[in-house]
Amino acid sequence: MMDAPLYNSRITDTYIKLIKNKYSFVNITELLDYAGMSPYEVADQGHWFTQEQVNRFHERLLKLTGNENLAREAGRYAASPDAIGMMRQYFLGLVGPAKAYEMIGKATNNNFVRSSVYTSRKLAANKVEITVTPRPGTKEQPFQCQNRIGFFEAVAAAFDVKLPRIEHPECIFQGGQECRYIVSWEKSSHTFWESTRNYAVFGLSLLSAISIAISPHQGLERVLPASAITVLLLSVIALNGEKKALLAGQLNLKDLSDNLFKQLELNYNNALVTNEIGQVISKQTRLHDILANVVLVLEKRLDYSRGLILLTNPEKTKLVFHAGFGYFDEQLSFLSKTTFQLDRPEAKGVFVVSYREQRPFLVGDINEIGGNLSGKSQNFAKQLLSQTFICCPIICEGESLGIIAVDNLKSKRPLVQSDMTLLMSIAPVIGIAIHNANLHEAKSTQFSSFLKVMAASIDARDPLTAGHSEKVTEYCEEICHELGLPEDEVEMIRVAALLHDYGKIGVPDAILKKNGRLSDLEYEIVKTHCHKTRDILEQVNFEGIYRQVPEIAGAHHEKIDGTGYPKGLKGKDIPLGAKIIAVADFYEAVTSQRHYRDPMPMEEAFRLLREGSGSHFERHIVEAFINCRKRGATEEGEVRAMQPFPA
């Protein structure tokens, strides 16, 4: 059990806060290193330390401070507003220390310690018995018993009463089977006045009765009124004290209720955020679009100054910035140039550790972990002015894909456990979307490679036509963008352009490579490549946006006036994609070297395209293409003009 996680990091965090407040000369980084702890683990409220780690921590701290009572002092400090805040408010909402001590078992078991079981039993209005029973296999140390005593003292102190009296009749470190503590404390002021009033009622009633019996006149006129006034006065004092105690309890309960309501509201909002992110990214297939939508939702819906997403490169050797919000332009520039190495075993940066160990970190103060950061990581924190931040691993199917991190500047609220819980609920959703996007991208890359091979297999039959399909595709994309077509339609036309001549696989080499003009019969054979293209491509299982590919690829020789082939389609009956390929195909063919002629000048090709506008080609497509080509030629000329002449 020495290696089992038994003690929540919040216990150690209390020690750290006490050290900062009273023993500032202690080097906290060195202390944690000696104990085998890290600042990230202490800051992570969901982390647990082993018995061996807390033993080493206390051993080293004892040598550094020389204070034999440090564990008890830390226990007292645990109930301070600086240390546990919310728990202190919860205790105060219970009206009195009696209820607080009764709740210790529920508050402690499995929330702070797993080594022992805490139970409490009320003995009197101001006395309880608390029993701590070790779990089998655990071996606590005497300093932990002292730490408990300090905490029991602190509970009463939270109610502004004197330190309680703590008896310890049985101790496991003195041969006992368990640790037993008898805690008693002074009654509160209103309880004192209630008791005084009750005793006064009895005493004064007896006095009045005796006075009346001895001297009725004096008893009725003096003793009885005086007794009544005294009892009334004591009752008013007692009721006033009770009222104040109840009011204080109500106020604390109200604050607690408000905080719980805020937490419920936060949880509801977090659920909405997670759902919204899921809905938004489920419609996206591209990694860039997924991440852009994620950071948009985070920025819009959550109370964080900034956030970023780092993903691994394909080789899994480094974390690279992919998306973020809340950063200035110069910071974004800095982020885009910053990477975190994953292939260095000695790397201990919080992002790298979170990625490797697949666990989140909540860092309350960047200065606390500064000593554990490399120079590069320190520079990163300095450049981005981070003060408090959370980072969570993005995981899918057990594999780390990257990390998501959010931070707040000094002017913003501190980040808490619920923030980390939220990010941990969002991260898997992002992970699944990234995984699916990577699969889609791999499938798309494989599909594109397959298409290029198909196109190249036709072009490669003749060295003079090699690259024809890719060039036509390039021209088609230029036309599509000039016309402002949607990206999905551009992609579909791109694929159709790559495969527009695939039917030529059925045309003999003697015809394809013939020098000189073709005979009428040979020309008719060449024309068959259009319907062959369509027939072959219809055997391919094109899905979604690609379903029109066979029809468009097979219609690229149709003409506006109906004189084209293979079907003699006219005007609007010809698909837009086929009209675009027709212009690009004609231009590429006439401006390239062929067996039977030399390439045509660009301006001459433009003239022929314009002559064919309205009869062979769609006029607005021709003009869009010419504008693209002229603009491209101008830019190429400017680049060449800027290049130095060869020596």
Side-chain angles (χ1 to χ4, degrees):
M1 293 293 287
M2 291 294 287
D3 295 328
L6 300 176
Y7 307 100
N8 189 267
S9 61
R10 283 173 288 185
I11 298 175
T12 305
D13 188 51
T14 301
Y15 275 91
I16 298 297
K17 288 176 177 175
L18 172 64
I19 293 167
K20 288 181 178 178
N21 184 48
K22 191 172 179 181
Y23 303 96
S24 57
F25 58 87
V26 173
N27 186 321
I28 294 174
T29 300
E30 181 184 306
L31 170 65
L32 293 176
D33 283 343
Y34 182 83
M37 302 174 176
S38 75
Y40 317 132
E41 293 169 336
V42 176
D44 178 5
Q45 296 181 15
H47 189 77
W48 293 73
F49 291 117
T50 67
Q51 184 68 54
E52 182 178 1
Q53 286 175 305
V54 298
N55 288 351
R56 290 177 62 84
F57 179 85
H58 183 265
E59 172 196 337
R60 183 63 175 170
L61 191 55
L62 195 60
K63 288 183 179 179
L64 292 172
T65 62
N67 184 358
E68 295 287 345
N69 296 316
L70 186 66
R72 189 166 181 171
E73 185 178 356
R76 291 177 182 174
Y77 198 75
S80 68
D82 179 47
I84 64 170
M86 191 72 174
M87 183 178 288
R88 181 176 186 271
Q89 189 179 52
Y90 175 73
F91 281 159
L92 290 174
L94 297 174
V95 178
K99 274 292 182 183
Y101 282 117
E102 286 181 35
M103 297 298 294
I104 276 182
K106 293 182 179 179
T108 305
N109 292 331
N110 295 319
N111 290 320
F112 286 91
V113 297
R114 297 170 178 167
S115 60
S116 305
V117 177
Y118 286 63
T119 57
S120 57
R121 182 169 63 96
K122 184 177 179 180
L123 301 179
N126 61 331
K127 181 184 288 189
V128 296
E129 178 187 68
I130 301 173
T131 303
V132 180
T133 306
R135 296 183 188 274
T138 61
K139 191 176 181 180
E140 292 186 342
Q141 296 298 313
F143 73 84
Q144 291 171 301
C145 179
Q146 292 300 309
N147 184 252
R148 284 194 287 265
I149 293 174
F151 180 72
F152 298 154
E153 291 174 330
V155 171
F159 293 90
D160 296 325
V161 299
K162 293 180 180 180
L163 286 179
R165 180 186 178 192
I166 299 180
E167 301 172 64
H168 193 16
E170 184 178 1
C171 181
I172 58 176
F173 304 109
Q174 295 179 5
Q177 297 299 312
E178 57 192 12
C179 276
R180 196 155 50 88
Y181 308 89
I182 308 297
V183 184
S184 57
W185 59 94
E186 289 185 0
K187 293 181 179 180
S188 60
S189 59
H190 76 273
T191 304
F192 168 79
W193 286 111
E194 282 180 355
S195 299
T196 303
R197 178 199 61 191
N198 294 336
Y199 286 124
V201 168
F202 176 77
L204 292 174
S205 297
L206 182 61
L207 177 64
S208 298
I210 294 172
S211 298
I212 293 172
I214 297 174
S215 176
H217 179 74
Q218 186 176 358
L220 290 173
E221 289 187 0
R222 297 182 180 180
V223 177
L224 184 61
S227 298
I229 292 172
T230 301
V231 170
L232 181 61
L233 181 61
L234 290 173
S235 297
V236 169
I237 294 173
L239 288 172
N240 187 53
E242 184 179 7
K243 181 180 178 181
K244 287 182 178 179
L246 289 172
L247 181 60
Q250 287 179 341
L251 290 174
N252 282 296
L253 283 173
K254 179 180 180 300
D255 290 341
L256 182 62
S257 299
D258 289 343
N259 286 329
L260 290 174
F261 178 77
K262 289 178 182 178
Q263 186 62 49
L264 287 173
E265 189 176 34
L266 179 63
N267 291 342
Y268 177 70
N269 183 60
N270 293 348
L272 290 180
V273 170
T274 304
N275 182 59
E276 184 176 342
I277 288 177
Q279 288 183 344
V280 168
I281 64 181
S282 65
K283 302 173 185 177
Q284 308 296 333
T285 57
R286 295 174 182 170
L287 182 60
H288 177 271
D289 295 335
I290 289 172
L291 299 181
N293 278 280
V294 167
V295 297
L296 189 64
V297 173
L298 292 178
E299 182 176 22
K300 174 184 174 184
R301 296 295 300 274
L302 301 181
D303 184 26
Y304 301 133
S305 301
R306 301 172 303 192
L308 59 84
I309 295 176
L310 305 175
L311 300 180
T312 59
N313 61 340
E315 296 78 22
K316 306 286 186 183
T317 58
K318 56 187 176 182
L319 289 170
V320 182
F321 174 77
H322 274 259
F325 68 87
Y327 296 98
F328 299 119
D329 290 341
E330 59 269 24
Q331 291 173 329
L332 287 173
S333 176
F334 174 76
L335 281 169
S336 65
K337 299 173 184 176
T338 303
T339 60
F340 297 87
Q341 296 299 130
L342 298 173
D343 53 355
R344 295 177 182 171
E346 70 276 9
K348 295 182 180 179
V350 64
F351 291 163
V352 174
V353 174
S354 179
Y355 172 87
R356 285 178 181 165
E357 300 184 7
Q358 296 189 347
R359 63 188 182 89
F361 288 103
L362 191 163
V363 177
D365 187 349
I366 190 66
N367 296 320
E368 293 182 1
I369 64 171
N372 275 36
L373 298 178
S374 65
K376 182 177 181 180
S377 294
Q378 289 181 10
N379 183 51
F380 179 81
K382 182 179 179 181
Q383 289 286 337
L384 298 184
L385 306 175
S386 300
Q387 184 66 20
T388 173
F389 69 88
I390 296 173
C391 71
C392 294
I394 299 174
I395 306 170
C396 183
E397 296 183 355
E399 179 186 5
S400 294
L401 305 179
I403 65 107
I404 178 172
V406 296
D407 74 289
N408 276 346
L409 303 181
K410 292 181 180 179
S411 60
K412 303 286 283 186
R413 67 172 179 83
L415 298 174
V416 294
Q417 180 71 28
S418 60
D419 294 299
M420 188 164 67
T421 302
L422 170 61
L423 282 192
M424 285 301 291
S425 68
I426 292 174
V429 179
I430 301 172
I432 293 171
I434 292 173
H435 179 69
N436 291 339
N438 289 337
L439 290 178
H440 183 272
E441 184 178 351
K443 182 179 178 181
S444 178
T445 301
Q446 186 180 36
F447 180 59
S448 296
S449 299
F450 172 69
L451 296 179
K452 288 182 179 180
V453 170
M454 289 180 67
S457 65
I458 297 303
D459 293 349
R461 292 176 63 189
D462 185 353
L464 285 180
T465 61
H468 167 74
S469 296
E470 290 195 9
K471 202 67 179 174
V472 169
T473 302
E474 181 185 328
Y475 294 152
C476 286
E477 289 185 276
E478 289 181 4
I479 295 171
C480 288
H481 290 129
E482 185 73 13
L483 295 175
L485 299 183
E487 284 301 319
D488 285 350
E489 191 170 1
V490 174
E491 172 62 13
M492 181 265 295
I493 293 173
R494 184 189 72 82
V495 172
L498 266 176
L499 302 175
H500 76 282
D501 273 346
Y502 199 74
K504 287 183 177 178
I505 197 171
V507 178
D509 281 353
I511 297 176
L512 284 179
K513 300 179 182 180
K514 181 179 179 180
N515 288 313
R517 296 183 63 82
L518 300 176
S519 66
D520 290 344
L521 177 59
E522 290 170 334
Y523 183 56
E524 290 301 320
I525 292 174
V526 170
K527 288 167 63 176
T528 63
H529 84 277
C530 287
H531 72 76
K532 287 178 179 177
T533 294
R534 178 168 182 166
D535 291 345
I536 292 171
L537 295 183
E538 282 180 341
Q539 305 307 308
V540 179
N541 185 28
F542 286 107
E543 297 179 353
I545 61 173
Y546 300 111
R547 288 179 179 173
Q548 296 182 61
V549 166
E551 179 186 2
I552 291 174
H556 71 279
H557 276 297
E558 300 287 359
K559 298 180 180 178
I560 302 300
D561 59 7
T563 60
Y565 58 89
K567 293 184 177 180
L569 300 177
K570 294 176 107 178
K572 294 182 179 179
D573 295 332
I574 305 172
L576 175 62
K579 294 176 183 178
I580 291 173
I581 295 175
V583 172
D585 184 50
F586 175 84
Y587 179 82
E588 205 289 322
V590 299
T591 56
S592 299
Q593 181 70 47
R594 290 294 182 264
H595 293 287
Y596 52 89
R597 58 163 176 76
D598 292 330
M600 184 180 294
M602 182 177 68
E603 291 297 333
E604 182 64 16
F606 289 166
R607 185 184 65 78
L608 293 179
L609 281 172
R610 282 183 168 132
E611 284 183 1
S613 295
S615 57
H616 291 183
F617 310 115
E618 194 76 66
R619 192 179 305 278
H620 77 283
I621 294 176
V622 169
E623 293 306 319
F625 177 64
I626 290 175
N627 289 338
C628 288
R629 285 288 84 210
K630 284 185 175 181
R631 187 164 57 248
T634 300
E635 292 173 356
E636 289 174 8
E638 290 174 351
V639 170
R640 285 197 298 271
M642 293 174 64
Q643 293 175 344
F645 289 104

